């Protein structure tokens, strides 16, 4: 009862306070219980609780009461467990409404474009420069050179941002262009609706009449056979007409389990580019740019020297998490009226810093690599030099160097008592191979993602 009520209140809050505020403040809360008119919530930090209470407390009390659970006070309890960001992301996407594209293509059933997701606001660094360049090229129009453009990468690395940026740009250049952006789930939803109302003809016509089709998070249609079928036909029809298609997914076409082979191979016809996880420089660049934006809202907030650098070092998560950290920090600073020092950051972002504290261990690396290559742990640690064992061992050493802060001699010791020069050699070797051998590059990438997940 209380929980249903909270569910409805959350929906209302989302409408009232907007998606960003909702994600920052309401999403991370869970209702624990309601007793004696007191609704208790867990919050990621005590600050989040205080903030929600001050800013939304009255609203929440009112809404809960209106929804049938009499509440006159809220209580917040700092949670030691950290929210799983990616789960929230997924939930967030599920809730995205189906509405028309606000500009140009009013008659199209796409998802709304976010005003902030433009090229101007996209910070380019090594990890995303290829994807950015490809997106720019597509947005500039002209002859269709690669079709489809397939963007992939982990959660929060800017796929959706780039797709919206392309849509904005194309529409700015040619307001008559019919650009349709939607998530794969929305595509599926539309299709299922069309089936239900026996109206697949207009569904087909609609999708085949666009100039540019963008389907976000295409991994969602994996395993959904009839949707895949329809997607495939739409896709082919548009490609045949030389219409631009842009697709995103959280992994490479070949890695999407449950996606039909013919679709995989068709997706690989075009240009496949990935967004790599952010590196320190990119994170710092993004933080600097977002801090400028925050300053417009909170001109009174002063950041001490080195704060952004600290965050860029310590929060190595996706960009959405970085943004959330900065938003919370500015809100906190403006509330307490203090300069943002290292202490303030540590207090305010305790939960996020804890989350990124999770360090990958050498043991984990060895285990995952052995698994991946179907070897035994003892093979990796053994003195055997056969290529089938030596290469995975080198991959593991490379990852150990990259993902942990262990020294070369220490890594050598952990790999069956090897010398540090062996580790150096392994790191160099894998570095070279990654540039010329796709298989190795993919293996390393996959393993790194699994280990950092
Ligand atoms: P994805 O679709 O890959 O999960 P999004 O495009 O939704 O990621 O990006 C998550 C958030 O991070 C968005 O608010 C987006 O604006 C921001 N973001 C991601 N990459 C960048 C970047 N390079 N520069 C600026 N903002 C970025
Ligand atoms: Mg996205």
């Amino acid at each position: 009862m209380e929980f249903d009520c909270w569910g409805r209140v959350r929906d209302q809050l989302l409408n009232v306070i907007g998606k960003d505020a909702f994600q920052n403040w309401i999403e991370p809360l869970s209702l624990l219980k309601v007793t004696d008119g007191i609704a208790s919530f867990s919050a990621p930090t005590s600050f989040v609780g205080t903030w929600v209470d001050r800013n939304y407390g009255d609203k929440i009390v009112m809404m809960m009461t209106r929804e049938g659970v009499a509440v006159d006070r809220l209580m917040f309890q700092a949670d030691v467990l950290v929210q799983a960001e990616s789960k929230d992301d997924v939930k967030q996407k599920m809730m995205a409404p189906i509405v028309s594209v606000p500009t140009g293509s009013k008659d199209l059933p796409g998802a709304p474009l976010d005003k902030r997701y433009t090229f101007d606001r996209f910070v380019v660094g090594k990890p995303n420069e290829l994807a950015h360049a490809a997106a720019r090229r597509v947005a500039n129009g002209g002859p269709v050179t690669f079709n489809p453009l397939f963007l992939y990468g982990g959660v929060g690395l800017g796929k959706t941002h780039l797709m919206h940026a392309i849509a904005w740009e194309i529409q700015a250049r040619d307001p008559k262009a019919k650009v349709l952006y939607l998530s794969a789930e929305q595509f599926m939803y539309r299709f299922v609706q069309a089936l239900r109302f026996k109206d697949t003809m207009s569904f087909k016509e609609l999708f085949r009449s666009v100039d540019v089709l963008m389907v976000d998070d295409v991994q969602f249609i994996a395993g959904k056979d009839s949707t895949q079928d329809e997607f495939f036909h739409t896709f082919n029809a548009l490609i045949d007409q030389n219409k631009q298609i842009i697709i995103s997914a959280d992994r490479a076409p070949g890695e999407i389990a449950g996606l039909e082979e013919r679709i995989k191979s068709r997706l690989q016809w075009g240009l496949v580019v990935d967004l790599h996880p952010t590196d320190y420089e990119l994170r710092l660049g993004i933080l600097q740019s977002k801090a400028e934006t925050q300053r417009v809202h909170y001109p009174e907030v002063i950041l001490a020297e080195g704060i952004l650098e600290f965050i860029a070092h310590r929060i190595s998560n996706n960009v959405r998490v970085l943004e959330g950290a900065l938003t919370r920090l500015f809100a906190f600073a403006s509330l307490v009226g203090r300069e943002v020092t290292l202490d303030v950051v540590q207090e305010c972002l305790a939960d996020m810093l804890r989350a990124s504290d999770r360090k990958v261990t050498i043991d984990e690396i060895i285990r995952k690599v052995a698994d991946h290559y179907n070897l035994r742990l003892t093979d990796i640690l053994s003195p055997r030099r056969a290529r089938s064992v030596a290469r995975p061992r080198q991959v593991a050493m490379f990852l150990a160097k990259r993902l942990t802060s262990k020294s070369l001699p220490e890594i050598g010791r952990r790999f069956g008592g090897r010398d540090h020069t062996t580790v150096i050699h392994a790191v160099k070797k894998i570095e070279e191979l990654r540039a010329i051998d796709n298989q190795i590059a993919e293996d390393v990438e996959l393993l790194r993602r699994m280990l950092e997940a």
Side-chain angles (χ1 to χ4, degrees), residues 117 121 123 128 156-161 290 319-320 323:
Y117 293 177
R121 292 194 181 213
V123 181
N128 60 23
L157 297 181
K159 300 179 296 291
T160 299
H161 189 137
K290 310 254 165 189
V319 181
R320 188 166 300 136
E323 278 180 347

Side-chain angles (χ1 to χ4, degrees), residues 89 93 117 153-161 163-164 181 216-217 219 248 320:
D89 287 344
K93 277 183 208 126
Y117 293 177
V155 171
L157 297 181
K159 300 179 296 291
T160 299
H161 189 137
M163 290 176 105
H164 286 207
Y181 164 87
D216 208 350
D217 289 317
Q219 73 274 3
S248 86
R320 188 166 300 136

